[in-house]
Amino acid sequence: MNLLDLLLSTDKKQRLRIRRSLLASLVFLISIGMMIYLSYIGKMSIQATSLLSLGMISTCLAFYLALRTGFNLRFKEPALTLPQILVAMTWICAAYANTGQAHAGTLMLYALVMVFGIFVMEPRRSVISASYGVLAMVSTMLYKMLTDSQVYPWQIEIVYLLLVVTILPTIARLSEQLSAMRRRLKIQKNDLEQACTQLERVAAYDELTGLINRRRMTEVLAEHSRNQTRQTEGFAIAMIDLDYFKMINDKYGHAIGDQVLSVFGESARKVLREIDILSRWGGEEFLLLMPKTNNGHPNIGIERLRAYLACVQPCPQIPELKISFSVGFTSYEKGESIYDTIKRADGALYEAKAKGRNCTVII
């Protein structure tokens, strides 16, 4: 762990919170610098400068330790933005009351404190901070006008008071609008992610059978082909065609035909091995990719599916309707194009059809 990780934490969220807190501490550093200068030129007492500077430094250190130790995670708002803003406003009010003729300069820091929370605070917290800011500064101004009217004359202080009453609520309102914008952007982002996920699924899956489509299967086959340079077990493919599917559509209608396709896809997912990948290749054709294993010839799974479908009724209203299929089976040969493998499987499929269908031809 390097020094920066030690100071800022390795947790990304905590690191960001600590960085924001340290950046906000610049307000205190500016205030301390201003008070030290005023003390140097004799416009502010050394005692007040020391006490205020010590208090501000202690506050910065306390918030840093709360964030660095993870104590902040106990709270609903782990960034502790609202507490930091309220404490900072309190100290600036104290600085305003002790900086004498230069007190107007602290008002810029007062507004700056609100700006630090404008991008992260929720509307409710923005209202709380603005309300406290107005109340605290107005109270400070009124107190100084009554106790030190020569340095804090009411004719000038009333102008500063109006600025505070106007600017802080405006910043709070802007924070509320930014918060609403963030919520809308978050909703739009979630909607966009869901839409992208849906588009990816539409692009990769056949809606009727739930199987991957030809486009996605082509990518899978190409990937398996490339992997054969590092693997030795090889893989096989089977081109499957549902027997007499056109006749089923013509006799019973396309709705029944769709049901047959759907039942075939569902049955295949149940019966075939988990490592086997079945796709709808087009119409009533399916392409099955079968990685070879030590559990026997991959064609065993095809025959198991054939036996399973012989006992399945795809449409209870038509008990005589059964699903059978013809298969062209071949193994991928290293170095050949995957399209040559598919072409060989396709030739075996035609041979299976010529033999009377409902059978497997292996090449």
Side-chain angles (χ1 to χ4, degrees):
M1 180 181 294
N2 56 40
L3 181 60
L4 199 59
D5 290 339
L6 187 63
L7 292 174
L8 300 181
S9 171
T10 55
D11 181 87
K12 290 183 179 180
K13 290 184 178 180
Q14 285 289 83
R15 197 181 184 101
L16 179 60
R17 292 165 186 150
I18 293 172
R19 280 182 168 176
R20 285 175 177 168
S21 181
L22 292 176
L23 182 62
S25 298
L26 289 175
V27 173
F28 290 122
L29 293 178
I30 294 171
S31 297
I32 292 170
M34 182 178 70
M35 290 187 294
I36 291 174
Y37 173 74
L38 292 174
S39 176
Y40 174 75
I41 62 175
K43 299 297 183 181
M44 185 175 177
S45 70
I46 295 176
Q47 183 181 7
T49 299
S50 301
L51 288 174
L52 287 173
S53 298
L54 181 62
M56 290 179 181
I57 292 172
S58 299
T59 296
C60 293
L61 183 61
F63 278 115
Y64 169 76
L65 290 175
L67 293 166
R68 185 61 187 88
T69 60
F71 181 77
N72 61 307
L73 298 176
R74 302 182 183 185
F75 300 94
K76 186 176 180 180
E77 196 230 343
L80 302 179
T81 305
L82 181 59
Q84 290 187 77
I85 287 177
L86 298 183
V87 170
M89 286 179 167
T90 303
W91 281 119
I92 293 176
C93 284
Y96 184 91
N98 287 275
T99 48
Q101 294 176 351
H103 64 275
T106 60
L107 291 178
M108 291 184 288
L109 300 177
Y110 208 63
L112 185 60
V113 168
M114 279 287 292
V115 172
F116 272 112
I118 196 171
F119 296 104
V120 293
M121 281 201 301
E122 297 176 356
R124 178 174 170 272
R125 292 189 174 92
S126 296
V127 171
I128 292 173
S129 61
S131 300
Y132 176 82
V134 170
L135 180 62
M137 184 55 76
V138 168
S139 299
T140 302
M141 289 177 173
L142 291 174
Y143 172 75
K144 296 305 293 184
M145 281 190 283
L146 292 173
T147 59
D148 192 0
S149 58
Q150 288 186 348
V151 179
Y152 298 82
W154 71 268
Q155 296 92 338
I156 302 298
E157 291 300 302
I158 199 71
V159 175
Y160 298 157
L161 188 149
L162 289 174
L163 287 174
V164 170
V165 171
T166 303
I167 292 174
L168 293 190
T170 301
I171 295 176
R173 178 57 182 167
L174 181 58
S175 177
E176 183 179 352
Q177 292 175 350
L178 288 173
S179 180
M181 187 183 300
R182 286 198 305 271
R183 286 197 300 271
R184 288 196 299 271
L185 288 174
K186 186 175 181 180
I187 293 172
Q188 291 173 357
K189 179 184 176 183
N190 291 336
D191 290 344
L192 182 60
E193 289 176 349
Q194 292 178 5
C196 288
T197 300
Q198 185 63 27
L199 286 173
E200 288 175 0
R201 180 167 182 82
V202 169
Y205 286 84
D206 174 61
E207 184 178 1
L208 180 61
T209 62
L211 303 172
I212 63 173
N213 57 24
R214 181 169 184 157
R215 175 179 172 274
R216 176 57 184 149
M217 188 57 160
T218 302
E219 295 173 353
V220 172
L221 289 169
E223 183 179 347
H224 274 71
S225 175
R226 289 193 298 269
N227 289 341
Q228 293 311 299
T229 58
R230 303 186 302 272
Q231 299 174 358
T232 58
E233 66 273 15
F235 65 91
I237 64 171
M239 188 69 73
I240 302 172
D241 186 88
L242 300 188
D243 294 334
Y244 307 108
F245 184 76
K246 185 176 183 305
M247 186 182 71
I248 292 173
N249 274 335
D250 293 342
K251 186 175 181 180
Y252 302 111
H254 288 278
I256 299 300
D258 289 346
Q259 192 168 338
V260 167
L261 292 170
S262 179
V263 169
F264 176 80
E266 183 180 351
S267 300
R269 284 194 295 269
K270 289 180 180 178
V271 174
L272 295 173
R273 302 174 303 176
E274 289 186 4
I275 60 174
D276 294 334
I277 303 173
L278 182 65
S279 69
R280 187 178 180 189
W281 197 246
E284 69 274 22
E285 280 193 340
F286 298 83
L287 194 147
L288 176 63
L289 184 149
M290 298 162 289
K292 293 182 181 179
T293 67
N294 296 326
N295 298 326
H297 198 283
N299 188 49
I300 294 174
I302 294 175
E303 296 308 317
R304 188 166 60 245
L305 175 61
R306 195 190 304 280
Y308 179 85
L309 285 170
C311 304
V312 171
Q313 284 188 340
C315 183
Q317 297 84 358
I318 312 174
E320 68 276 11
L321 180 61
K322 296 292 181 181
I323 301 176
S324 66
F325 57 87
S326 304
V327 179
F329 184 97
T330 190
S331 294
Y332 173 79
E333 297 178 1
K334 278 189 177 183
E336 74 173 345
S337 165
I338 191 63
Y339 296 103
D340 291 335
T341 312
I342 295 173
K343 184 178 180 180
R344 192 163 60 250
D346 208 32
L349 173 62
Y350 279 104
E351 190 175 336
K353 289 181 180 180
K355 287 186 174 181
R357 302 177 188 268
N358 197 24
C359 64
T360 300
V361 170
I362 302 174
I363 295 181

